[in-house]
Amino acid sequence: RAKVPRTVTALVASLVEYGDPELTFCAELSVSAPDSVAEMEQQTLKTSAELRARAQNRAALKRFADAAADLEAALALEPKNTEILRTLRTLYEAGKDTAHVVATVRRLAEALPDNPAMQFEAAMLLMISEPETLRDDAAALRFAERAATLTQYKDPQILRAPAMAYYRNGQPDKAVATVKAALALIPAGQAPNLRADLEAALQTYSAGIEAKPDDPATTNHP
């Protein structure tokens, strides 16, 4: 029943929050939480459905940490519910909690062992996340090899993960072989960006082979 004033502050705030120039808003209005939300805050919730409902309400109020806590509790009641994990990941991303995003993606990959895209994503996150303390090269290799196996080593995009994982786990020769196999799968003139990425990786991994020390068993010492 009232006009909400448009302000530059609202535009800037929405741009900063969403990071998308096409998702900016010129006005903002704060409202009180409905009574149902306030009532639910006072309750001790025992079922997954109740916890998920409160999480949704809390997320709408941008209380991402509280919403995530509810979903973690719901997940404890339904440990195989991947939908809860997906929503949990979204919440951690909204709260810019990188450590929990990485951990949740890893849990999703473990819960969806036959999903190659999920295996690939987990592998890549475990190798490139910042800070480096979030990385786990050994686990990344397991997920990457699983993704490659599920796609029968015929998806050049997926093969990027095992190639990188081999290199990061001290196996540059396998990394080079995997990249070459991926390049051979790309038809001539197609996927130029992927081809460029793979060729750059090939140079890096090949340099790793050249820099690899000789086998101590065959090296002659004075």
Side-chain angles (χ1 to χ4, degrees):
R1 298 182 181 180
K3 292 183 178 180
V4 183
R6 293 178 292 178
T7 66
V8 172
T9 300
L11 279 171
V12 172
S14 60
L15 179 60
V16 169
E17 179 174 357
Y18 299 109
D20 185 348
E22 296 184 1
L23 194 64
T24 55
F25 303 95
C26 60
E28 184 175 48
L29 177 66
S30 297
V31 297
S32 300
D35 290 341
S36 59
V37 177
E39 291 174 4
M40 191 172 284
E41 289 291 332
Q42 303 302 318
Q43 298 174 359
T44 300
L45 307 184
K46 297 181 179 180
T47 70
S48 174
E50 290 173 336
L51 288 162
R52 294 172 72 179
R54 187 168 70 181
Q56 186 174 18
N57 289 333
R58 285 175 161 178
L61 297 172
K62 298 182 180 180
R63 292 171 53 188
F64 301 124
D66 290 335
D70 277 340
L71 287 184
E72 290 284 8
L75 194 60
L77 297 173
E78 295 185 84
K80 296 183 179 181
N81 192 321
T82 56
E83 188 59 37
I84 295 178
L85 276 172
R86 292 184 190 279
T87 306
L88 193 57
R89 173 191 179 172
T90 301
L91 281 174
Y92 285 135
E93 288 175 340
K96 296 178 172 35
D97 189 340
T98 305
H100 277 101
V101 170
V102 173
T104 305
V105 169
R106 182 170 182 166
R107 291 159 73 184
L108 267 169
E110 291 169 345
L112 298 168
D114 296 326
N115 185 321
M118 200 70 249
Q119 305 299 306
F120 172 81
E121 185 175 5
M124 295 302 290
L125 270 181
L126 288 169
M127 290 188 288
I128 66 174
S129 291
E130 293 291 346
E132 290 188 12
T133 53
L134 299 178
R135 300 177 187 178
D136 186 338
D137 293 334
L141 180 56
R142 291 195 299 273
F143 288 125
E145 289 184 326
R146 179 67 178 169
T149 299
L150 288 169
T151 53
Q152 300 181 339
Y153 288 82
K154 294 181 179 180
D155 187 329
Q157 176 71 13
I158 291 289
L159 288 176
R160 290 173 53 230
M164 182 184 293
Y166 286 135
Y167 182 73
R168 293 182 64 87
N169 281 275
Q171 303 177 63
D173 48 346
K174 282 191 175 183
V176 167
T178 304
V179 172
K180 288 181 177 179
L183 285 167
L185 291 168
I186 303 176
Q190 295 187 22
N193 291 336
L194 176 58
R195 180 179 292 277
D197 287 345
L198 287 170
E199 289 175 344
L202 183 59
Q203 290 185 352
T204 299
Y205 304 157
S206 296
I209 291 179
E210 295 172 1
K212 193 173 182 180
D214 294 331
D215 186 343
T218 60
T219 301
N220 293 320
H221 297 285

